[in-house]
Amino acid sequence: MFLPNQPQTSLAIFCKVVDNYGDIGICWRLARQLQLEHRIAVTLWVDDLRSFQRICPGLAVDAEAQEFAGVTVRHWRDQEGEFSTSEVADIVIEFFGCDIPPRYVAAMAERSPHPVWINLEGLSAEEWVEGCHTLPSPHPRMPLTKYFFYPGFTGKTGGLLHESSLEEERRQFQSNPDAMQDFLACLGVMPSEAASFKISLFCYPHAPVSALFKAWQNTDTAVTCLVPEGVGGEAVKAFLGTEAKVGIMRTRGALTVRVLPFVSQPDYDKLLWACDLNFVRGEDSFVRAQWADKPFIWHIYPQDENLHHKKLRAFLTRYADGLERLHAFSLCWNGVALEGNDGMPNWPSLWTQLQGDIPKIALKAVEWRHQVLKNGDLASNLVAFADKRRSIPEQNKV
Ligand code: TRH
């Protein structure tokens, strides 16, 4: 909550890029929203500026500190930094339980009042999340308590990242065919491709892309698949018959595949809004697809012992209830064998059935967005939680 006569709240986010772009994608989105909508002075500590620059083209990769879009971005080089209590923020967020520098934690313990310390966890639709959301975890040696904060799909979680201007921006864009056509044209998409059934493809390397391309190639509906450079690996290269560089495209049968550049996050939203079906992955693009009012297929981030299959099923149970064909297609896309059918998936049939349900799935997409937004957005819920903790006198804090 921002009150004009109060000193500006400070907040630090520590982000360790595990791999890919989701960690920094989520932290960057959160940092910008906290600064813009909650007037919080945000410092974002990131270890891998090169990954960051991929989704934020204007960022310098060799700067120790830089101001970018109202956020102070600090290069988190190692665990050796020295920190004074005055450098410690009012609210400290560690993303995905990354280990923040020990001397920063020590300064947190010396600072009065102690900062609100939050561990922002990954997104899951599993039931257990509700029981863990905002649980306190007292530090074993210092007078500090860390709180677990879980994003989620219900009112008993922290909700999902969603900027207050997003709906209006999307509505304006989707109600303006010229704007959509111009946007796609800027990415090199030809009018004939823009007029076809457009699919954006963002998945992990192990996705069964070749099999799906074959199914799309042999249908009677013209399909244009827009794939960011570096995604879809060998399958895209094989279809194109050459290196999958930006601007390369090829048509075989009913399928045209075009390689796009990796674009900024706001432009990636526009791509999702302009397409008819979106294949997304991980966490952030998965959430952005849920705000696009378009059907989407999720490629979940793989985990050992197929732990991710449980997460996938938990989400499909909530989202694809009554949409059996979406459910079946999503399981096969993630390598989960369908009940009683442990052979290779029949992609032409899976695609034909999914295609037949697109109108129904599109209606569900709109309904789902309204349902999830009722829980409030992650940034606002997190600020409200932190404000509540800060209003409790030190001696009464857990
Ligand atoms: O890149 P990811 O696979 O990141 C993953 C997941 O977040 C996963 O949950 C996490 O455990 C793992 O990292 C370590 O997928 P994700 O989450 O969709 O993040 C991609 C980001 O890239 C997202 O913010 C959207 C952004 N993006 C662009 O900005 N421009 C683009 O052109 C594309 C394709 C993506």
Side-chain angles (χ1 to χ4, degrees):
M1 168 78 72
F2 176 75
L3 300 172
N5 57 351
Q6 261 190 344
Q8 196 177 18
T9 300
S10 59
L11 181 145
I13 303 176
F14 284 85
C15 173
K16 197 163 268 180
V17 176
V18 171
D19 61 10
N20 301 310
Y21 307 100
D23 306 309
I24 186 55
I26 291 161
C27 291
W28 178 231
R29 211 182 280 290
L30 176 61
R32 286 202 320 273
Q33 187 177 0
L34 289 169
Q35 185 277 330
L36 199 62
E37 299 183 20
H38 297 275
R39 310 282 289 279
I40 290 176
V42 179
T43 299
L44 174 57
W45 292 85
V46 191
D47 61 344
D48 176 356
L49 293 179
R50 287 201 182 285
S51 292
F52 192 175
Q53 190 193 52
R54 192 95 202 267
I55 61 168
C56 194
L59 193 86
V61 291
D62 50 3
E64 281 309 304
Q66 57 192 299
E67 293 300 314
F68 200 90
V71 172
T72 302
V73 176
R74 299 289 300 268
H75 187 195
W76 179 11
R77 278 191 183 288
D78 53 37
Q79 295 294 76
E80 310 313 316
E82 295 291 341
F83 300 91
S84 66
T85 51
S86 61
E87 291 177 271
V88 173
D90 299 318
I91 303 166
V92 177
I93 297 176
E94 59 182 51
F95 187 68
F96 263 176
C98 63
D99 237 353
I100 60 182
R103 282 190 282 282
Y104 192 95
V105 178
M108 286 164 65
E110 282 157 39
R111 179 189 193 269
S112 177
H114 296 139
V116 177
W117 186 4
I118 288 172
N119 175 5
L120 180 56
E121 282 290 351
L123 174 60
S124 172
E126 293 162 292
E127 298 286 335
W128 58 264
V129 165
E130 293 186 342
C132 297
H133 178 53
T134 70
L135 275 188
S137 164
H139 192 284
R141 291 179 308 285
M142 295 186 202
L144 290 169
T145 299
K146 187 191 301 190
Y147 293 90
F148 290 89
F149 202 87
Y150 281 85
F153 302 94
T154 72
K156 291 184 189 149
T157 68
L160 300 177
L161 272 174
H162 183 275
E163 301 81 12
S164 55
S165 60
L166 193 64
E167 290 311 294
E168 193 42 38
E169 285 166 22
R170 177 184 55 76
R171 248 195 295 276
Q172 277 191 18
F173 184 78
Q174 290 181 331
S175 63
N176 184 341
D178 293 344
M180 286 200 275
Q181 172 107 7
D182 292 348
F183 169 73
L184 291 171
C186 285
L187 297 179
V189 178
M190 308 302 280
S192 59
E193 296 162 10
S196 70
F197 188 85
K198 293 171 294 298
I199 297 174
S200 71
L201 178 64
F202 185 44
C203 60
Y204 293 108
H206 58 282
V209 175
S210 294
L212 195 49
F213 276 4
K214 243 189 213 54
W216 286 341
Q217 211 175 303
N218 302 319
T219 55
D220 46 16
T221 320
V223 167
T224 296
C225 177
L226 302 172
V227 54
E229 188 178 24
V231 174
E234 288 311 309
V236 173
K237 188 174 161 191
F239 182 88
L240 297 172
T242 180
E243 282 304 317
K245 292 275 171 250
V246 173
I248 301 286
M249 60 75 74
R250 179 157 191 179
T251 299
R252 293 171 188 254
L255 175 61
T256 295
V257 173
R258 173 177 290 279
V259 180
L260 299 186
F262 219 81
V263 294
S264 68
Q265 282 185 321
D267 279 351
Y268 182 63
D269 278 335
K270 288 198 177 103
L271 180 64
L272 296 175
W273 300 344
C275 285
D276 303 297
L277 173 65
N278 293 307
F279 283 72
V280 289
R281 74 184 201 191
E283 179 168 331
D284 194 53
S285 60
F286 167 53
V287 171
R288 301 317 278 186
Q290 295 175 60
W291 305 140
D293 264 16
K294 294 292 176 75
F296 65 90
I297 302 290
W298 182 32
H299 200 211
I300 190 168
Y301 183 77
Q303 288 177 290
D304 298 340
E305 288 115 53
N306 285 338
L307 268 178
H308 57 297
H309 287 174
K310 211 158 151 277
K311 284 180 191 279
L312 174 68
R313 288 183 190 278
F315 176 71
L316 292 174
T317 302
R318 290 184 194 276
Y319 184 76
D321 180 26
L323 297 169
E324 285 65 33
R325 292 166 169 185
L326 172 66
H327 205 128
F329 190 100
S330 301
L331 289 176
C332 292
W333 182 245
N334 284 276
V336 182
L338 298 181
E339 236 120 80
N341 169 2
D342 46 9
M344 289 301 284
N346 178 342
W347 285 104
S349 151
L350 282 165
W351 171 243
T352 308
Q353 291 184 32
L354 182 79
Q355 217 181 2
D357 267 8
I358 288 287
K360 213 163 100 175
I361 301 168
L363 283 177
K364 172 68 183 196
V366 177
E367 184 197 300
W368 175 261
R369 171 171 56 80
H370 287 296
Q371 177 186 322
V372 176
L373 278 180
K374 280 192 200 122
N375 307 322
D377 71 281
L378 182 71
S380 305
N381 291 337
L382 191 143
V383 169
F385 173 77
D387 283 351
K388 218 161 118 202
R389 301 309 309 166
R390 292 175 70 201
S391 66
I392 300 168
E394 277 298 283
Q395 62 277 14
N396 303 357
K397 275 184 183 163
V398 164

